[in-house]
Amino acid sequence: MDTAPHNSPSISDAVAHQKPPEVPSMLQELIHRMLGKYWDRTPAAVTICSLLQALSDEGSPVIFDHMAFRTLQAPGYGIDSIASVFTDFGYKEQDQLDFPNKHLRARWFSPPNPNSKLPRIFISELKVDELSPRARGIIHKYLERTGNAKGRYSAFCAATGVVPWGLLDSDDYDALLEEDEYAAWTLTNGYALNHTTVAVHRLQGWKGGLHKVNDELTNRGFPLNLQGGVIKTSADGGLKQSATVSERVPIAFSDGSNALLPGAYIEFAERMVLPEFEHLKPEDVREEHRRDGFEVGNADKIFESTKLAIKEPIRQPMAEWT
């Protein structure tokens, strides 16, 4: 599935319409809708994907390694609320990753065919019960607004941009941000895509790997996440990742104010060929021959991309926002 925008900067035709027969049309449409909202909120990602297309062989399409979502661990709102729609279409649950210092856990899901152009799905959830009573109270106050629906419509929300519990009060946002940035991000952004990840090793004709991607972005002024170094590398050396710092988007509050706060970002992953397949010719290497899965150490630093975008919020009355 060609999931990246074409060279045109227009958001209206930002997603491709190639329809491989092995991809169910409902799943394809859902992913396209989720990405459509992501392009709207992350214009730098549109520019970057268009750049990578232009620098690859004949503008070959960008393929995503994975798409990532954030959720809250509460009955009906956690990982399963997003995962279920993908597992219904044949995605398979894989490993769990734990981040005790961040009060997070995550699971990832592989597409039905590892050599297809479908992305992996990475879903994290905040362990709400590990937060302070004050933070827990704020979170549950908003979750209760969804009534019996809970997180059953999370995929719909991700595809439409609807935040199911509505607008936050700015004081509640500030209180959450003081304790846990992930909680503040999730309550303000809802089920929106947190980031997409370009599969650098699947860029046709690309020379220089992830290092070259980072050089191109740095030379053009895109801010990169430097936590743990520009490139975060797994212990086995098989998975290399980098990411931009999150862009900021206008978020409305229930008290009539508005602020520029962290939205989404774009990540880049390079999966190396496994030792047992290094004898293969480059043209014979498929995705199943490369290092699969995720790495806690890498992901821990990638999570910082939204936190790095936190600055003094730019606030003003909603009526004055343009």
Side-chain angles (χ1 to χ4, degrees):
M1 176 184 286
D2 178 357
T3 48
H6 288 301
N7 292 331
S8 168
S10 172
I11 293 298
S12 63
D13 60 357
V15 293
H17 300 290
Q18 179 180 338
K19 296 184 177 181
E22 73 276 10
V23 180
S25 59
M26 285 180 62
L27 176 61
Q28 178 178 272
E29 186 64 23
L30 175 64
I31 291 175
H32 281 174
R33 296 282 181 172
M34 290 175 173
L35 285 169
K37 290 300 177 182
Y38 171 77
W39 302 131
D40 287 345
R41 291 159 47 87
T42 322
V46 178
T47 303
I48 289 169
C49 286
S50 296
L51 170 67
L52 295 179
Q53 285 178 309
L55 295 177
S56 300
D57 282 355
E58 300 180 354
S60 59
V62 170
I63 297 173
F64 285 143
D65 180 87
H66 64 274
M67 294 167 29
F69 301 87
R70 293 182 175 185
T71 68
L72 301 164
Q73 186 191 16
Y77 298 94
I79 290 173
D80 290 340
S81 66
I82 281 283
S84 59
V85 71
F86 292 100
T87 55
D88 283 349
F89 285 105
Y91 270 77
K92 303 298 183 184
E93 180 178 343
Q94 301 296 336
D95 304 325
Q96 177 172 297
L97 293 80
D98 290 294
F99 305 85
N101 293 334
K102 284 184 164 61
H103 308 291
L104 299 175
R105 69 163 56 92
R107 298 207 309 268
W108 72 276
F109 301 79
S110 60
N113 178 356
N115 294 305
S116 73
K117 295 180 180 180
L118 284 171
R120 298 167 182 83
I121 301 299
F122 183 95
I123 310 173
S124 57
E125 66 181 9
L126 177 65
K127 300 176 183 178
V128 175
D129 288 347
E130 294 183 3
L131 302 183
S132 70
R134 181 187 185 192
R136 294 200 305 269
I138 292 172
I139 291 170
H140 284 291
K141 177 177 72 174
Y142 289 98
L143 296 187
E144 288 170 1
R145 289 181 176 180
T146 64
N148 292 330
K150 296 187 182 294
R152 283 199 296 270
Y153 302 102
S154 57
F156 169 84
C157 293
T160 61
V162 171
V163 177
W165 38 79
L167 302 182
L168 267 67
D169 180 84
S170 60
D171 288 340
D172 287 339
Y173 172 82
D174 290 339
L176 286 176
L177 182 62
E178 184 179 349
E179 179 171 342
D180 192 286
E181 183 270 336
Y182 184 108
W185 189 96
T186 306
L187 262 289
T188 51
N189 289 275
Y191 288 101
L193 264 173
N194 176 253
H195 67 271
T196 61
T197 301
V198 173
V200 174
H201 54 280
R202 302 183 79 171
L203 292 172
Q204 297 178 26
W206 186 263
K207 306 294 184 182
L210 185 56
H211 285 280
K212 178 65 172 176
V213 170
N214 294 332
D215 287 346
E216 293 287 351
L217 299 185
T218 300
N219 291 340
R220 288 166 172 79
F222 291 101
L224 298 180
N225 176 341
L226 303 182
Q227 296 296 307
V230 177
I231 295 180
K232 299 85 165 86
T233 304
S234 62
D236 60 9
L239 176 61
K240 301 178 185 295
Q241 295 168 271
S242 64
T244 63
V245 172
S246 174
E247 294 187 62
R248 296 209 290 172
V249 295
I251 299 291
F253 292 114
S254 60
D255 55 15
S257 64
N258 208 319
L260 281 176
L261 301 174
Y265 57 95
I266 188 166
E267 182 190 326
F268 314 92
E270 184 175 13
R271 296 181 182 274
M272 315 307 289
V273 176
L274 294 168
E276 59 265 36
F277 299 115
E278 288 179 347
H279 65 281
L280 294 176
K281 296 178 181 179
E283 61 268 24
D284 295 330
V285 174
R286 300 191 299 272
E287 193 71 3
E288 66 191 46
H289 300 137
R290 296 181 181 274
R291 204 275 199 186
D292 203 0
F294 293 85
E295 185 80 7
V296 168
N298 289 16
D300 183 83
K301 303 305 181 186
I302 296 291
F303 274 123
E304 299 290 312
S305 284
T306 53
K307 189 173 184 178
L308 291 169
I310 289 288
K311 301 175 183 176
E312 187 66 27
I314 301 174
R315 301 182 189 273
Q316 61 188 96
M318 211 178 303
E320 297 178 13
W321 198 268
T322 58

